[in-house]
Amino acid sequence: MLQHAEPPTHAPSGRYRWARPLAATVLVLTGIALLMLAKAWRGVEATLSAQAIAQITGQTTIASPSRHLLILYKNSNVQSIFVLTGECSVAYLLATLFICAAPLMLLRQLSTVRTSVAIAVAMSVLILVNVARLTAIGAAVSAWGLDPGLEIAHTYFGSLLTVVGTCAAGVAFAVVLIGRRKARHPAVG
């Protein structure tokens, strides 16, 4: 009777043994750097949001990255000025993603490439959703003024986008990480 022989498992060769710990270390250090550079990251978000708001509304929107400000104009007059606070930023979620994903790099059962792609996809979703949220707030204020535009967009729609976006990032991460892996053992029979 023929039996299916398992392919031999090889320990990582000496020259690649350092790759997983290095990748995990880089993720942790990147997460720590994001925590330390969260203010600078808010400046990037202010710039991206200002450009998106200007595209959506057709009105001039200026970012002051060093002060985390968004200045919305209605025609030639300042309509409103927003300060992006730490709560407006996705930096802390990104730092959490990197730091919490670092141990996954150490697991030999998970591909480092697949894990890296999962992290990149989740990171992209978080950033895009946050810029969309900030853009929606600016567009609502441009269209409806501070009252009711800010309350509708920030309190209700912005909160909904934050929850949905964070969940979408988690689901995307999981789908990429564990979805549709090739079977290692052919079916016998």
Side-chain angles (χ1 to χ4, degrees):
M1 177 169 167
L2 293 174
Q3 292 183 340
H4 177 70
E6 295 293 325
T9 57
H10 300 287
S13 66
R15 65 182 194 184
Y16 296 114
R17 193 172 300 182
W18 52 267
R20 287 181 180 276
L22 177 64
T25 302
V26 167
L27 285 171
V28 169
L29 292 175
T30 302
I32 291 169
L34 266 170
L35 292 173
M36 295 172 61
L37 300 170
K39 287 184 179 183
W41 181 259
R42 273 189 278 157
V44 171
E45 289 175 311
T47 301
L48 292 173
S49 299
Q51 292 172 355
I53 292 167
Q55 289 293 317
I56 297 291
T57 65
Q59 298 290 333
T60 301
T61 306
I62 297 174
S64 174
S66 62
R67 300 180 75 199
H68 315 119
L69 293 176
L70 283 172
I71 305 166
L72 281 69
Y73 286 85
K74 190 73 164 189
N75 301 320
S76 61
N77 299 320
V78 173
Q79 183 180 26
S80 60
I81 299 174
F82 295 110
V83 177
L84 270 64
T85 64
E87 292 82 15
C88 295
S89 179
V90 76
Y92 302 114
L93 288 174
L94 292 174
T96 302
L97 170 66
F98 291 134
I99 293 168
C100 290
L104 296 176
M105 282 294 184
L106 300 174
L107 298 176
R108 291 184 51 210
Q109 296 85 351
L110 297 174
S111 160
T112 55
V113 172
R114 187 180 286 267
T115 304
S116 298
V117 171
I119 292 166
V121 167
M123 177 185 76
S124 299
V125 170
L126 289 171
I127 292 169
L128 290 173
V129 168
N130 198 52
V131 170
R133 181 182 70 83
L134 294 170
T135 302
I137 292 168
V141 168
S142 181
W144 301 316
L146 280 173
D147 188 28
L150 182 63
E151 183 176 356
I152 290 170
H154 188 269
T155 305
Y156 301 112
F157 188 65
S159 297
L160 177 66
L161 269 178
T162 299
V163 171
V164 170
T166 303
C167 291
V171 168
F173 182 88
V175 166
V176 171
L177 189 64
I178 61 174
R180 288 203 69 180
R181 293 206 259 175
K182 294 179 184 177
R184 291 186 177 199
H185 306 290
V188 178

